[in-house]
Short mmCIF file of all heavy atoms in Angstrom, two decimals:
data_model
loop_
_atom_site.label_atom_id
_atom_site.label_comp_id
_atom_site.label_asym_id
_atom_site.label_seq_id
_atom_site.Cartn_x
_atom_site.Cartn_y
_atom_site.Cartn_z
N GLY B 230 -71.67 -160.20 186.59
CA GLY B 230 -71.33 -159.52 185.35
C GLY B 230 -72.36 -159.74 184.26
O GLY B 230 -72.53 -158.89 183.37
N ILE B 231 -73.06 -160.88 184.29
CA ILE B 231 -74.13 -161.11 183.32
C ILE B 231 -75.22 -160.06 183.48
O ILE B 231 -75.80 -159.58 182.50
CB ILE B 231 -74.70 -162.54 183.48
CG1 ILE B 231 -73.65 -163.59 183.09
CG2 ILE B 231 -75.98 -162.72 182.66
CD1 ILE B 231 -74.09 -165.02 183.32
N GLY B 232 -75.52 -159.69 184.73
CA GLY B 232 -76.49 -158.62 184.96
C GLY B 232 -76.04 -157.32 184.35
O GLY B 232 -76.83 -156.58 183.76
N MET B 233 -74.73 -157.01 184.47
CA MET B 233 -74.20 -155.81 183.82
C MET B 233 -74.35 -155.91 182.31
O MET B 233 -74.70 -154.93 181.64
CB MET B 233 -72.72 -155.65 184.16
CG MET B 233 -72.44 -155.31 185.62
SD MET B 233 -70.67 -155.46 186.02
CE MET B 233 -69.94 -154.42 184.75
N ALA B 234 -74.07 -157.09 181.76
CA ALA B 234 -74.15 -157.28 180.30
C ALA B 234 -75.56 -157.02 179.80
O ALA B 234 -75.76 -156.49 178.70
CB ALA B 234 -73.71 -158.70 179.94
N MET B 235 -76.56 -157.39 180.59
CA MET B 235 -77.95 -157.17 180.19
C MET B 235 -78.37 -155.71 180.38
O MET B 235 -79.14 -155.18 179.58
CB MET B 235 -78.88 -158.09 180.99
CG MET B 235 -78.71 -159.56 180.67
SD MET B 235 -79.97 -160.60 181.47
CE MET B 235 -79.50 -160.45 183.20
N ARG B 236 -77.85 -155.06 181.42
CA ARG B 236 -78.35 -153.73 181.78
C ARG B 236 -77.75 -152.62 180.93
O ARG B 236 -78.46 -151.69 180.53
CB ARG B 236 -78.06 -153.47 183.26
CG ARG B 236 -78.54 -152.12 183.75
CD ARG B 236 -78.41 -151.99 185.25
NE ARG B 236 -77.03 -152.11 185.69
CZ ARG B 236 -76.62 -152.95 186.64
NH1 ARG B 236 -77.49 -153.73 187.23
NH2 ARG B 236 -75.36 -153.00 186.99
N TRP B 237 -76.49 -152.66 180.65
CA TRP B 237 -75.83 -151.53 180.01
C TRP B 237 -76.38 -151.19 178.62
O TRP B 237 -76.62 -150.02 178.33
CB TRP B 237 -74.32 -151.78 179.95
CG TRP B 237 -73.64 -151.55 181.27
CD1 TRP B 237 -74.24 -151.35 182.48
CD2 TRP B 237 -72.24 -151.47 181.50
NE1 TRP B 237 -73.29 -151.18 183.46
CE2 TRP B 237 -72.05 -151.25 182.89
CE3 TRP B 237 -71.12 -151.60 180.69
CZ2 TRP B 237 -70.79 -151.13 183.46
CZ3 TRP B 237 -69.86 -151.48 181.26
CH2 TRP B 237 -69.72 -151.25 182.63
N PRO B 238 -76.59 -152.16 177.73
CA PRO B 238 -77.10 -151.78 176.40
C PRO B 238 -78.47 -151.13 176.45
O PRO B 238 -78.75 -150.19 175.71
CB PRO B 238 -77.13 -153.11 175.64
CG PRO B 238 -76.19 -154.00 176.36
CD PRO B 238 -76.27 -153.60 177.79
N VAL B 239 -79.35 -151.63 177.32
CA VAL B 239 -80.71 -151.09 177.32
C VAL B 239 -80.71 -149.67 177.88
O VAL B 239 -81.43 -148.79 177.38
CB VAL B 239 -81.67 -152.01 178.12
CG1 VAL B 239 -81.34 -152.07 179.59
CG2 VAL B 239 -83.11 -151.57 177.92
N PHE B 240 -79.89 -149.38 178.89
CA PHE B 240 -79.83 -148.01 179.41
C PHE B 240 -79.25 -147.06 178.36
O PHE B 240 -79.76 -145.96 178.16
CB PHE B 240 -78.99 -147.95 180.69
CG PHE B 240 -78.80 -146.56 181.21
CD1 PHE B 240 -79.87 -145.86 181.76
CD2 PHE B 240 -77.57 -145.92 181.14
CE1 PHE B 240 -79.72 -144.56 182.24
CE2 PHE B 240 -77.41 -144.63 181.61
CZ PHE B 240 -78.49 -143.95 182.16
N SER B 241 -78.22 -147.48 177.66
CA SER B 241 -77.63 -146.64 176.61
C SER B 241 -78.63 -146.37 175.50
O SER B 241 -78.67 -145.27 174.95
CB SER B 241 -76.37 -147.33 176.04
OG SER B 241 -75.38 -147.46 177.03
N ALA B 242 -79.43 -147.37 175.15
CA ALA B 242 -80.42 -147.20 174.08
C ALA B 242 -81.56 -146.29 174.51
O ALA B 242 -82.18 -145.62 173.68
CB ALA B 242 -80.97 -148.56 173.65
N LEU B 243 -81.85 -146.25 175.81
CA LEU B 243 -82.96 -145.43 176.30
C LEU B 243 -82.60 -143.95 176.37
O LEU B 243 -83.48 -143.08 176.30
CB LEU B 243 -83.40 -145.91 177.69
CG LEU B 243 -84.22 -147.20 177.72
CD1 LEU B 243 -84.34 -147.72 179.14
CD2 LEU B 243 -85.60 -146.98 177.11
N MET B 244 -81.33 -143.63 176.51
CA MET B 244 -80.94 -142.22 176.71
C MET B 244 -81.40 -141.31 175.58
O MET B 244 -82.00 -140.26 175.82
CB MET B 244 -79.43 -142.11 176.94
CG MET B 244 -79.08 -142.20 178.41
SD MET B 244 -77.41 -141.62 178.77
CE MET B 244 -76.47 -142.97 178.14
N PRO B 245 -81.15 -141.64 174.28
CA PRO B 245 -81.64 -140.75 173.22
C PRO B 245 -83.16 -140.69 173.15
O PRO B 245 -83.71 -139.79 172.52
CB PRO B 245 -81.05 -141.38 171.95
CG PRO B 245 -79.91 -142.22 172.41
CD PRO B 245 -80.33 -142.74 173.75
N GLU B 246 -83.82 -141.64 173.79
CA GLU B 246 -85.28 -141.65 173.78
C GLU B 246 -85.86 -140.65 174.77
O GLU B 246 -86.97 -140.15 174.58
CB GLU B 246 -85.76 -143.08 174.14
CG GLU B 246 -87.25 -143.30 174.12
CD GLU B 246 -87.62 -144.73 174.45
OE1 GLU B 246 -87.01 -145.65 173.87
OE2 GLU B 246 -88.51 -144.93 175.29
N VAL B 247 -85.09 -140.32 175.83
CA VAL B 247 -85.64 -139.47 176.89
C VAL B 247 -85.00 -138.09 176.94
O VAL B 247 -85.47 -137.23 177.69
CB VAL B 247 -85.50 -140.17 178.27
CG1 VAL B 247 -86.29 -141.45 178.29
CG2 VAL B 247 -84.05 -140.43 178.62
N VAL B 248 -83.91 -137.85 176.18
CA VAL B 248 -83.32 -136.51 176.11
C VAL B 248 -83.15 -136.12 174.65
O VAL B 248 -83.03 -136.98 173.78
CB VAL B 248 -81.95 -136.43 176.83
CG1 VAL B 248 -82.09 -136.76 178.30
CG2 VAL B 248 -80.91 -137.32 176.17
N SER B 249 -83.14 -134.82 174.38
CA SER B 249 -82.97 -134.34 173.02
C SER B 249 -81.51 -134.51 172.59
O SER B 249 -80.61 -134.65 173.42
CB SER B 249 -83.39 -132.87 172.93
OG SER B 249 -82.57 -132.09 173.79
N LYS B 250 -81.29 -134.45 171.27
CA LYS B 250 -79.94 -134.66 170.74
C LYS B 250 -78.92 -133.65 171.28
O LYS B 250 -77.80 -134.05 171.61
CB LYS B 250 -79.97 -134.62 169.21
CG LYS B 250 -78.64 -134.96 168.57
CD LYS B 250 -78.74 -135.03 167.06
CE LYS B 250 -79.48 -136.25 166.60
NZ LYS B 250 -79.44 -136.41 165.12
N PRO B 251 -79.26 -132.35 171.42
CA PRO B 251 -78.26 -131.41 171.98
C PRO B 251 -77.83 -131.77 173.41
O PRO B 251 -76.74 -131.42 173.82
CB PRO B 251 -78.98 -130.07 171.95
CG PRO B 251 -80.00 -130.20 170.86
CD PRO B 251 -80.45 -131.63 170.93
N LEU B 252 -78.71 -132.46 174.15
CA LEU B 252 -78.38 -132.82 175.53
C LEU B 252 -77.69 -134.18 175.64
O LEU B 252 -77.30 -134.58 176.74
CB LEU B 252 -79.66 -132.84 176.38
CG LEU B 252 -80.34 -131.51 176.64
CD1 LEU B 252 -81.59 -131.71 177.49
CD2 LEU B 252 -79.39 -130.54 177.33
N LEU B 253 -77.54 -134.87 174.52
CA LEU B 253 -77.00 -136.24 174.58
C LEU B 253 -75.57 -136.28 175.13
O LEU B 253 -75.27 -137.12 175.98
CB LEU B 253 -77.06 -136.89 173.19
CG LEU B 253 -76.67 -138.36 173.13
CD1 LEU B 253 -77.53 -139.19 174.08
CD2 LEU B 253 -76.81 -138.89 171.71
N PRO B 254 -74.65 -135.40 174.69
CA PRO B 254 -73.31 -135.44 175.30
C PRO B 254 -73.34 -135.24 176.81
O PRO B 254 -72.61 -135.91 177.54
CB PRO B 254 -72.57 -134.30 174.59
CG PRO B 254 -73.26 -134.14 173.28
CD PRO B 254 -74.70 -134.42 173.58
N SER B 255 -74.20 -134.33 177.29
CA SER B 255 -74.31 -134.11 178.73
C SER B 255 -74.91 -135.33 179.42
O SER B 255 -74.49 -135.70 180.52
CB SER B 255 -75.18 -132.88 179.02
OG SER B 255 -74.56 -131.71 178.52
N ALA B 256 -75.89 -135.97 178.78
CA ALA B 256 -76.48 -137.17 179.35
C ALA B 256 -75.44 -138.29 179.45
O ALA B 256 -75.39 -139.02 180.45
CB ALA B 256 -77.67 -137.63 178.51
N MET B 257 -74.60 -138.41 178.42
CA MET B 257 -73.54 -139.42 178.46
C MET B 257 -72.54 -139.09 179.56
O MET B 257 -72.02 -139.99 180.24
CB MET B 257 -72.84 -139.49 177.11
CG MET B 257 -73.72 -139.91 175.96
SD MET B 257 -74.37 -141.59 176.14
CE MET B 257 -72.88 -142.56 176.05
N ALA B 258 -72.24 -137.78 179.74
CA ALA B 258 -71.33 -137.39 180.81
C ALA B 258 -71.92 -137.73 182.17
O ALA B 258 -71.22 -138.19 183.07
CB ALA B 258 -71.03 -135.89 180.72
N LEU B 259 -73.23 -137.50 182.34
CA LEU B 259 -73.88 -137.84 183.60
C LEU B 259 -73.88 -139.34 183.84
O LEU B 259 -73.82 -139.79 185.00
CB LEU B 259 -75.32 -137.30 183.61
CG LEU B 259 -75.44 -135.80 183.86
CD1 LEU B 259 -76.87 -135.34 183.62
CD2 LEU B 259 -74.99 -135.47 185.28
N SER B 260 -73.95 -140.11 182.77
CA SER B 260 -73.80 -141.56 182.92
C SER B 260 -72.43 -141.89 183.49
O SER B 260 -72.29 -142.75 184.36
CB SER B 260 -73.99 -142.24 181.56
OG SER B 260 -73.79 -143.64 181.66
N GLY B 261 -71.41 -141.17 183.01
CA GLY B 261 -70.08 -141.34 183.56
C GLY B 261 -69.99 -140.87 185.01
O GLY B 261 -69.29 -141.47 185.83
N VAL B 262 -70.72 -139.80 185.33
CA VAL B 262 -70.75 -139.33 186.72
C VAL B 262 -71.37 -140.40 187.62
O VAL B 262 -70.88 -140.67 188.73
CB VAL B 262 -71.55 -138.01 186.82
CG1 VAL B 262 -71.84 -137.66 188.29
CG2 VAL B 262 -70.78 -136.88 186.17
N ALA B 263 -72.46 -141.02 187.16
CA ALA B 263 -73.09 -142.08 187.93
C ALA B 263 -72.10 -143.23 188.18
O ALA B 263 -72.03 -143.77 189.29
CB ALA B 263 -74.33 -142.60 187.21
N MET B 264 -71.35 -143.58 187.14
CA MET B 264 -70.36 -144.65 187.30
C MET B 264 -69.29 -144.25 188.30
O MET B 264 -68.90 -145.03 189.17
CB MET B 264 -69.74 -144.97 185.94
CG MET B 264 -68.56 -145.94 186.00
SD MET B 264 -68.98 -147.55 186.70
CE MET B 264 -69.86 -148.28 185.32
N ASN B 265 -68.80 -143.02 188.19
CA ASN B 265 -67.67 -142.63 189.02
C ASN B 265 -68.07 -142.16 190.41
O ASN B 265 -67.28 -142.29 191.35
CB ASN B 265 -66.85 -141.56 188.28
CG ASN B 265 -66.11 -142.16 187.10
OD1 ASN B 265 -65.12 -142.84 187.27
ND2 ASN B 265 -66.62 -141.95 185.88
N ALA B 266 -69.27 -141.62 190.56
CA ALA B 266 -69.76 -141.34 191.91
C ALA B 266 -69.93 -142.66 192.66
O ALA B 266 -69.63 -142.76 193.86
CB ALA B 266 -71.09 -140.59 191.85
N SER B 267 -70.40 -143.67 191.92
CA SER B 267 -70.53 -145.00 192.55
C SER B 267 -69.17 -145.56 192.90
O SER B 267 -69.03 -146.34 193.84
CB SER B 267 -71.28 -145.94 191.61
OG SER B 267 -70.52 -146.20 190.43
N ARG B 268 -68.13 -145.15 192.14
CA ARG B 268 -66.77 -145.61 192.43
C ARG B 268 -66.28 -145.03 193.76
O ARG B 268 -65.39 -145.59 194.40
CB ARG B 268 -65.84 -145.18 191.29
CG ARG B 268 -64.43 -145.70 191.41
CD ARG B 268 -63.60 -145.32 190.21
NE ARG B 268 -63.87 -146.21 189.10
CZ ARG B 268 -63.90 -145.86 187.82
NH1 ARG B 268 -63.69 -144.58 187.49
NH2 ARG B 268 -64.13 -146.74 186.88
N ILE B 269 -66.88 -143.89 194.17
CA ILE B 269 -66.56 -143.33 195.48
C ILE B 269 -67.44 -143.95 196.56
O ILE B 269 -66.97 -144.49 197.56
CB ILE B 269 -66.74 -141.80 195.48
CG1 ILE B 269 -65.79 -141.16 194.45
CG2 ILE B 269 -66.49 -141.23 196.85
CD1 ILE B 269 -66.02 -139.68 194.26
N VAL B 270 -68.76 -143.88 196.33
CA VAL B 270 -69.71 -144.32 197.35
C VAL B 270 -69.61 -145.83 197.58
O VAL B 270 -69.56 -146.29 198.73
CB VAL B 270 -71.15 -143.93 196.94
CG1 VAL B 270 -72.16 -144.48 197.94
CG2 VAL B 270 -71.28 -142.43 196.81
N GLY B 271 -69.59 -146.60 196.47
CA GLY B 271 -69.56 -148.06 196.61
C GLY B 271 -68.39 -148.56 197.44
O GLY B 271 -68.60 -149.29 198.43
N PRO B 272 -67.14 -148.20 197.08
CA PRO B 272 -66.01 -148.67 197.88
C PRO B 272 -66.03 -148.17 199.33
O PRO B 272 -65.66 -148.92 200.24
CB PRO B 272 -64.80 -148.11 197.12
CG PRO B 272 -65.26 -147.97 195.73
CD PRO B 272 -66.70 -147.57 195.83
N LEU B 273 -66.45 -146.90 199.53
CA LEU B 273 -66.50 -146.38 200.89
C LEU B 273 -67.49 -147.17 201.74
O LEU B 273 -67.19 -147.56 202.88
CB LEU B 273 -66.87 -144.90 200.88
CG LEU B 273 -65.79 -143.93 200.39
CD1 LEU B 273 -66.34 -142.52 200.31
CD2 LEU B 273 -64.56 -143.98 201.29
N VAL B 274 -68.67 -147.41 201.19
CA VAL B 274 -69.68 -148.18 201.92
C VAL B 274 -69.20 -149.61 202.14
O VAL B 274 -69.31 -150.16 203.24
CB VAL B 274 -71.02 -148.15 201.17
CG1 VAL B 274 -72.02 -149.10 201.83
CG2 VAL B 274 -71.58 -146.74 201.13
N ALA B 275 -68.66 -150.21 201.06
CA ALA B 275 -68.19 -151.60 201.19
C ALA B 275 -67.06 -151.70 202.20
O ALA B 275 -67.05 -152.61 203.04
CB ALA B 275 -67.73 -152.11 199.83
N GLY B 276 -66.10 -150.75 202.14
CA GLY B 276 -64.99 -150.79 203.08
C GLY B 276 -65.45 -150.63 204.52
O GLY B 276 -64.97 -151.33 205.42
N ALA B 277 -66.40 -149.71 204.75
CA ALA B 277 -66.90 -149.50 206.11
C ALA B 277 -67.62 -150.74 206.62
O ALA B 277 -67.46 -151.14 207.79
CB ALA B 277 -67.83 -148.29 206.13
N ILE B 278 -68.41 -151.37 205.75
CA ILE B 278 -69.16 -152.56 206.18
C ILE B 278 -68.22 -153.72 206.44
O ILE B 278 -68.36 -154.48 207.41
CB ILE B 278 -70.22 -152.93 205.13
CG1 ILE B 278 -71.29 -151.83 205.05
CG2 ILE B 278 -70.86 -154.27 205.45
CD1 ILE B 278 -72.31 -152.06 203.94
N ILE B 279 -67.22 -153.91 205.54
CA ILE B 279 -66.26 -155.00 205.72
C ILE B 279 -65.52 -154.84 207.05
O ILE B 279 -65.31 -155.81 207.80
CB ILE B 279 -65.26 -155.04 204.55
CG1 ILE B 279 -65.97 -155.49 203.27
CG2 ILE B 279 -64.10 -155.98 204.85
CD1 ILE B 279 -65.11 -155.34 202.02
N ALA B 280 -65.12 -153.59 207.35
CA ALA B 280 -64.36 -153.35 208.57
C ALA B 280 -65.21 -153.52 209.83
O ALA B 280 -64.71 -153.98 210.87
CB ALA B 280 -63.76 -151.94 208.54
N SER B 281 -66.49 -153.18 209.75
CA SER B 281 -67.32 -153.18 210.96
C SER B 281 -68.17 -154.43 211.13
O SER B 281 -68.39 -154.88 212.26
CB SER B 281 -68.24 -151.96 210.95
OG SER B 281 -69.09 -151.98 209.81
N ALA B 282 -68.66 -154.99 210.03
CA ALA B 282 -69.61 -156.11 210.14
C ALA B 282 -69.19 -157.35 209.37
O ALA B 282 -69.68 -158.45 209.65
CB ALA B 282 -70.99 -155.66 209.67
N GLY B 283 -68.33 -157.21 208.35
CA GLY B 283 -67.92 -158.38 207.58
C GLY B 283 -68.44 -158.32 206.15
O GLY B 283 -69.40 -157.61 205.84
N THR B 284 -67.79 -159.10 205.29
CA THR B 284 -68.09 -159.07 203.86
C THR B 284 -69.52 -159.52 203.56
O THR B 284 -70.15 -159.03 202.62
CB THR B 284 -67.10 -159.97 203.10
OG1 THR B 284 -65.77 -159.59 203.45
CG2 THR B 284 -67.27 -159.85 201.60
N LEU B 285 -70.04 -160.43 204.36
CA LEU B 285 -71.39 -160.95 204.13
C LEU B 285 -72.40 -159.81 204.00
O LEU B 285 -73.27 -159.82 203.12
CB LEU B 285 -71.79 -161.89 205.28
CG LEU B 285 -73.26 -162.32 205.34
CD1 LEU B 285 -73.63 -163.14 204.10
CD2 LEU B 285 -73.53 -163.10 206.63
N TRP B 286 -72.28 -158.80 204.83
CA TRP B 286 -73.29 -157.74 204.85
C TRP B 286 -73.17 -156.80 203.66
O TRP B 286 -74.12 -156.09 203.34
CB TRP B 286 -73.21 -156.99 206.18
CG TRP B 286 -73.62 -157.89 207.31
CD1 TRP B 286 -72.81 -158.56 208.17
CD2 TRP B 286 -74.96 -158.26 207.64
NE1 TRP B 286 -73.56 -159.33 209.03
CE2 TRP B 286 -74.89 -159.15 208.73
CE3 TRP B 286 -76.21 -157.92 207.14
CZ2 TRP B 286 -76.02 -159.71 209.31
CZ3 TRP B 286 -77.34 -158.47 207.72
CH2 TRP B 286 -77.24 -159.35 208.79
N VAL B 287 -72.03 -156.79 203.00
CA VAL B 287 -71.93 -156.04 201.75
C VAL B 287 -72.87 -156.63 200.71
O VAL B 287 -73.61 -155.91 200.03
CB VAL B 287 -70.48 -156.05 201.22
CG1 VAL B 287 -70.41 -155.38 199.85
CG2 VAL B 287 -69.55 -155.36 202.20
N PHE B 288 -72.87 -157.95 200.61
CA PHE B 288 -73.72 -158.61 199.62
C PHE B 288 -75.20 -158.54 200.02
O PHE B 288 -76.08 -158.50 199.15
CB PHE B 288 -73.27 -160.06 199.43
CG PHE B 288 -71.86 -160.17 198.92
CD1 PHE B 288 -70.89 -160.83 199.66
CD2 PHE B 288 -71.49 -159.60 197.71
CE1 PHE B 288 -69.59 -160.93 199.21
CE2 PHE B 288 -70.19 -159.69 197.25
CZ PHE B 288 -69.23 -160.36 198.00
N VAL B 289 -75.48 -158.52 201.32
CA VAL B 289 -76.87 -158.33 201.77
C VAL B 289 -77.38 -156.96 201.33
O VAL B 289 -78.49 -156.84 200.77
CB VAL B 289 -76.96 -158.48 203.30
CG1 VAL B 289 -78.35 -158.05 203.79
CG2 VAL B 289 -76.67 -159.91 203.73
N LEU B 290 -76.58 -155.92 201.56
CA LEU B 290 -76.99 -154.58 201.15
C LEU B 290 -77.09 -154.49 199.62
O LEU B 290 -77.98 -153.81 199.09
CB LEU B 290 -75.99 -153.54 201.67
CG LEU B 290 -76.29 -152.08 201.34
CD1 LEU B 290 -77.66 -151.66 201.88
CD2 LEU B 290 -75.20 -151.16 201.88
N ASN B 291 -76.20 -155.15 198.92
CA ASN B 291 -76.23 -155.18 197.46
C ASN B 291 -77.56 -155.73 196.96
O ASN B 291 -78.21 -155.17 196.06
CB ASN B 291 -75.07 -156.04 196.95
CG ASN B 291 -74.80 -155.84 195.47
OD1 ASN B 291 -75.58 -155.21 194.77
ND2 ASN B 291 -73.70 -156.38 194.99
N ALA B 292 -77.99 -156.84 197.55
CA ALA B 292 -79.28 -157.44 197.16
C ALA B 292 -80.43 -156.49 197.45
O ALA B 292 -81.35 -156.32 196.63
CB ALA B 292 -79.48 -158.76 197.89
N LEU B 293 -80.40 -155.85 198.62
CA LEU B 293 -81.48 -154.94 199.00
C LEU B 293 -81.57 -153.76 198.04
O LEU B 293 -82.66 -153.40 197.56
CB LEU B 293 -81.26 -154.45 200.43
CG LEU B 293 -82.29 -153.44 200.96
CD1 LEU B 293 -83.67 -154.07 201.02
CD2 LEU B 293 -81.87 -152.96 202.35
#
Side-chain angles (χ1 to χ4, degrees):
I231 293 176
M233 292 169 53
M235 292 187 292
R236 180 172 61 232
W237 283 11
V239 66
F240 176 70
S241 297
L243 285 168
M244 270 196 286
E246 183 179 313
V247 298
V248 299
S249 61
K250 185 175 288 187
L252 292 180
L253 187 57
S255 296
M257 298 297 295
L259 283 171
S260 177
V262 168
M264 172 60 76
N265 289 285
S267 66
R268 185 176 280 144
I269 299 173
V270 176
L273 287 175
V274 172
I278 294 175
I279 290 171
S281 60
T284 307
L285 169 64
W286 293 100
V287 175
F288 299 119
V289 170
L290 181 59
N291 195 350
L293 178 62

